[in-house]
Amino acid sequence: MGVSKKSKSKLGERQIAVNRRARHDYHIEDRFEAGIVLDGWEVKALREGRAQVAEAYVYLKNGEAWLQGAHITPLQAASTHVVAKPARTRKLLLHRRELSRLIGATERQGYTLIPLDLHWTRGRAKLEIGLAKGKKQHDKRSDIKSRDWDRQKARIMRHDAKA
């Protein structure tokens, strides 16, 4: 059963920014959806799609989660009485149980928290966070080899189907 055209366009509209490097550099073990504390001009800029999370990371401090390094470019028509800081640190909103699990995983088990994508859920900006372990160089190479082999297999299967 495929996804209809209408729902595909809805999925595309809800995504703001994606961290494509995350899946290449890390083994993602678990995912969490966190709310973000934003200013008014930031919400307007996100609606225009002016965000980047590729260089961002998440850290935990005093039992709270913070997003560092995400860049939200202010609009030209941003408010004149507010000084826009595009790369400010933003607080993430998670449940207490999720926070305690993340704290345990990062401090004791050596996991890293990385932002995977920024999207809209029911009109609110959400950040998907990945609990991840870094990949070694040979892991990255084997992923590339398997992807190339899958592509080659698909090419061969298409060629055989035409013949």
Side-chain angles (χ1 to χ4, degrees), residues 60-132:
L60 301 167
K61 184 178 177 184
N62 299 330
E64 295 177 332
W66 299 88
L67 177 66
Q68 176 76 41
H71 192 86
I72 299 175
T73 308
L75 299 171
Q76 291 295 327
S79 179
T80 55
H81 64 281
V82 176
V83 178
K85 294 180 187 171
R88 74 177 181 88
T89 303
R90 295 167 179 90
K91 186 176 180 177
L92 297 178
L93 307 171
L94 289 157
H95 291 285
R96 178 65 46 201
R97 188 178 297 134
E98 291 173 333
L99 276 170
S100 61
R101 179 161 179 239
L102 291 175
I103 289 168
T106 54
E107 289 180 358
R108 287 187 287 280
Q109 299 166 357
Y111 283 95
T112 305
L113 295 173
I114 51 168
L116 300 175
D117 78 337
L118 194 58
H119 61 272
W120 297 107
T121 300
R122 286 185 253 134
R124 300 193 187 277
K126 303 285 184 175
L127 180 73
E128 187 173 25
I129 300 170
L131 187 62

Side-chain angles (χ1 to χ4, degrees), residues 4-162:
S4 69
K5 269 190 177 180
K6 226 176 218 181
S7 60
K8 268 188 187 177
S9 66
K10 291 281 186 197
L11 291 173
E13 286 175 17
R14 79 180 267 252
Q15 211 162 46
I16 302 167
V18 179
N19 186 356
R20 295 184 192 277
R21 289 285 301 164
R23 286 169 188 80
H24 182 263
D25 292 340
Y26 298 94
H27 291 289
I28 298 163
E29 304 287 325
D30 205 356
R31 298 164 184 269
F32 297 90
E33 188 176 68
I36 313 169
V37 177
L38 297 171
D39 290 339
W41 69 267
E42 290 172 325
V43 176
K44 288 182 179 183
L46 288 180
R47 293 221 182 274
E48 294 292 319
R50 295 172 165 254
Q52 173 275 78
V53 292
E55 299 294 320
Y57 61 94
V58 177
Y59 68 93
L60 301 167
K61 184 178 177 184
N62 299 330
E64 295 177 332
W66 299 88
L67 177 66
Q68 176 76 41
H71 192 86
I72 299 175
T73 308
L75 299 171
Q76 291 295 327
S79 179
T80 55
H81 64 281
V82 176
V83 178
K85 294 180 187 171
R88 74 177 181 88
T89 303
R90 295 167 179 90
K91 186 176 180 177
L92 297 178
L93 307 171
L94 289 157
H95 291 285
R96 178 65 46 201
R97 188 178 297 134
E98 291 173 333
L99 276 170
S100 61
R101 179 161 179 239
L102 291 175
I103 289 168
T106 54
E107 289 180 358
R108 287 187 287 280
Q109 299 166 357
Y111 283 95
T112 305
L113 295 173
I114 51 168
L116 300 175
D117 78 337
L118 194 58
H119 61 272
W120 297 107
T121 300
R122 286 185 253 134
R124 300 193 187 277
K126 303 285 184 175
L127 180 73
E128 187 173 25
I129 300 170
L131 187 62
K133 279 218 175 179
K135 282 186 183 177
K136 303 282 189 252
Q137 190 63 38
H138 64 273
D139 291 336
K140 292 179 189 177
R141 277 191 225 116
S142 67
D143 283 352
I144 291 169
K145 282 181 186 175
S146 67
R147 225 181 346 213
D148 287 345
W149 171 238
D150 289 342
R151 236 183 260 130
Q152 195 173 5
K153 253 193 315 196
R155 207 173 292 132
I156 290 168
M157 295 300 282
R158 270 193 313 243
H159 181 68
D160 288 345
K162 287 180 183 177

